[in-house]
Every structure is written in structure tokens, then in C-alpha cells.
Amino acid sequence: MFPDRTFFNRLAEAAKAETLPRFRSGTGVTNKLASGFDPVTEGDRAAEVAIRALIEQNFPEHGILGEEFGNVGLDREHVWVIDPIDGTRAFISGVPVWGTLIGLYRNGRAIMGMIEQPFTGERYFADESGSYYTGPEGERKLQVRDCAGLSDAILFTTSPHLFTGTEMDRYREIESQVRLFRYGTDCYAYALLAAGHIDLVVENGLKPYDVGGIIPVIEKAGGIITTWDGGRPENGGSIIAAGSQAVYDAAVAILRR
């Protein structure tokens, strides 16, 4: 037995049962930092517990890398990578661009993934057969759009304030060349890229659980996602995702200076 789309849907439903009732409910928030603000909610913890319980019950031989409750068996062939609420700041602010990210790695490579947004009822899933959308618009196979270059591109990043020094300079140069840029969409930006609505996402400081569920959704929709230096993105870091090779090449040329 191997995980399939049905099992990913079970995981998403289990997480949704914990996150959605707490969204816009005034649920308690805990700050994980003594200095600064890194929030975690009851929904984060409860959703990860629910996901982990199903994985441990059905695939006890698999490892788990989770944001809230640590890691188990990272040296195993198959490892689940879980972010129960990516975009906790959006979650506590009532903005529906957060999501639950669930990824499956085989020998360190992301092979299956899901971006779940329960409030909008949208689910983006990828396996070896392709990348798929289900939600209010029905169901369809995802395909990035073939944008000709930066001057035609729509760029998203979570916040430009996260860039410092030369990273800020490089990001701002890209931003100055695109047709449109927007901020604050967390994992939802990657879903929009896979669906062909936007063309470029540039971010830094990401953890493996921030990208594990996203990588297959982008790649199986025909997109590109790497680190800024062109490496595999499974371990996080400074990440670029693009829908077309032309946009990717132009952006990376700036990021590598």
C-alpha cells in the first residue's frame, strides 16, 4: 500500500476539522519567540496532531518532519513534511490566504504534495500523474502559463521586509521590472502560480515544511521551483518559483549577481 490522492484528502479533511472552526473565531495565539513575533495557534497544533495520527496509523514505517512537534525518522526512504497552517499571521488576521501543506519525500525528493485552503474550499494536489485543482471552479488539471518575460509577469512575495542587504537590492530590481507585484499571500501564491494566474514567487528564509507540499504542485503543473542558486528546494532557504523558463531565467540572473 502506498499513499494516494484519497489518503491525502483524508489528511486534508482531518486538518480542516481542526483549522476551519478556529478561523475568525478569536482563537488563542502563542508567541514562540522571546524577542519578536512568531505566532502559533491552537489550530496549528491540533491540525498537525490530526495529520500525524493518520500517518502513524497507516504508514508507521514513514518518517515525519513537522513544524510544531518535531521530527521522526528523517533518514527513512519516505518522509512526510507537514505545515499545518502556513501563513499563521494571515490566519489570525482573518485573511484566507493561509493553507495546510502536506508533502511526501522519497529519498529526499518531493514526489507528492497538497496545498489545502479550507475556507475557500480549494485543494491543489500533485502526484506522478500531474497537478490538480478541486474547488468552487470545479476540477481540472493545473498548468502554469507561458509568460514571455519579466515585463509581462505578475510577482508575489510574502513581504519585502523579509529581505535584507543585497537580497533586498536584488528583489527590488526584479520588482521594478515586472508588470504587477503583490504582497502577503503566503502559500496561496504558489497555488496561484500552479493554476496559471501569476508568474513568479520570490522568497527567502523558508523551512522545509514551508515548501514540501508545494514543490510537486508547481513542478507537475509545468513550473520551476529551486533555490536562488538553482539547487533543489526541498530543504528550503531562498526560493524562486516561476511558471515559464523565460521568467525564471531572467529573475535568476538578477538573484545570482
Side-chain angles (χ1 to χ4, degrees):
M1 179 177 165
F2 191 75
D4 58 11
R5 188 174 183 177
T6 298
F7 185 70
F8 269 78
N9 285 336
R10 286 179 63 194
L11 296 177
E13 290 296 328
K16 176 181 177 179
E18 302 295 344
T19 58
L20 194 53
R22 293 176 168 91
F23 184 52
R24 297 181 178 173
S25 69
T27 187
V29 179
T30 301
N31 185 9
K32 293 190 280 188
L33 296 180
S35 177
F37 185 55
D38 185 11
V40 61
T41 71
E42 296 170 1
D44 289 272
R45 296 191 178 101
E48 185 166 324
V49 167
I51 293 170
R52 293 174 84 115
L54 279 172
I55 292 170
E56 289 165 357
Q57 177 184 352
N58 290 273
F59 300 98
E61 72 279 11
H62 290 187
I64 300 176
L65 189 161
E67 180 177 13
E68 304 303 333
F69 294 103
N71 308 321
V72 176
L74 298 188
D75 59 344
R76 298 174 187 173
E77 179 181 4
H78 293 97
V79 176
W80 294 85
V81 184
I82 306 164
D83 193 345
I85 299 179
D86 180 87
T88 301
R89 289 172 175 81
F91 183 88
I92 64 178
S93 303
V95 184
V97 294
W98 55 276
T100 296
L101 304 180
I102 306 167
L104 181 63
Y105 289 9
R106 182 171 60 212
N107 297 322
R109 185 79 171 244
I111 59 169
M112 300 175 73
M114 177 174 280
I115 305 169
E116 156 83 350
Q117 212 311 306
F119 186 77
T120 62
E122 294 176 299
R123 192 168 290 172
Y124 301 78
F125 169 77
D127 62 11
E128 62 181 7
S129 69
S131 191
Y132 304 91
Y133 168 91
T134 57
E137 301 169 24
E139 182 169 352
R140 70 178 186 278
K141 194 167 185 178
L142 293 171
Q143 178 64 47
V144 296
R145 67 182 176 191
D146 188 18
C147 184
L150 285 180
S151 62
D152 295 319
I154 299 175
L155 163 69
F156 276 35
T157 194
T158 294
S159 172
H161 298 292
L162 298 175
F163 300 109
T164 59
T166 58
E167 282 190 345
M168 174 66 86
D169 295 337
R170 295 166 187 167
Y171 170 77
R172 288 298 191 191
E173 184 173 348
I174 293 172
E175 186 180 87
S176 71
Q177 295 186 34
V178 300
R179 178 163 61 94
L180 173 66
F181 56 86
R182 302 294 294 169
Y183 304 145
T185 45
D186 299 294
C187 64
Y188 199 62
Y190 297 94
L192 293 174
L193 191 147
H197 301 301
I198 73 167
D199 308 291
L200 183 63
V201 182
V202 177
E203 298 195 292
N204 69 343
L206 300 188
K207 304 297 185 183
Y209 48 75
D210 294 319
V211 295
I214 288 170
I215 296 166
V217 175
I218 296 291
E219 293 185 333
K220 292 300 182 179
I224 306 161
I225 179 167
T226 71
T227 56
W228 288 12
D229 61 5
R232 290 296 306 172
E234 276 83 359
N235 290 325
S238 294
I239 298 295
I240 175 173
S244 75
Q245 190 71 48
V247 169
Y248 175 83
D249 289 345
V252 162
I254 296 169
L255 294 174
R256 292 180 185 175
R257 288 178 186 166

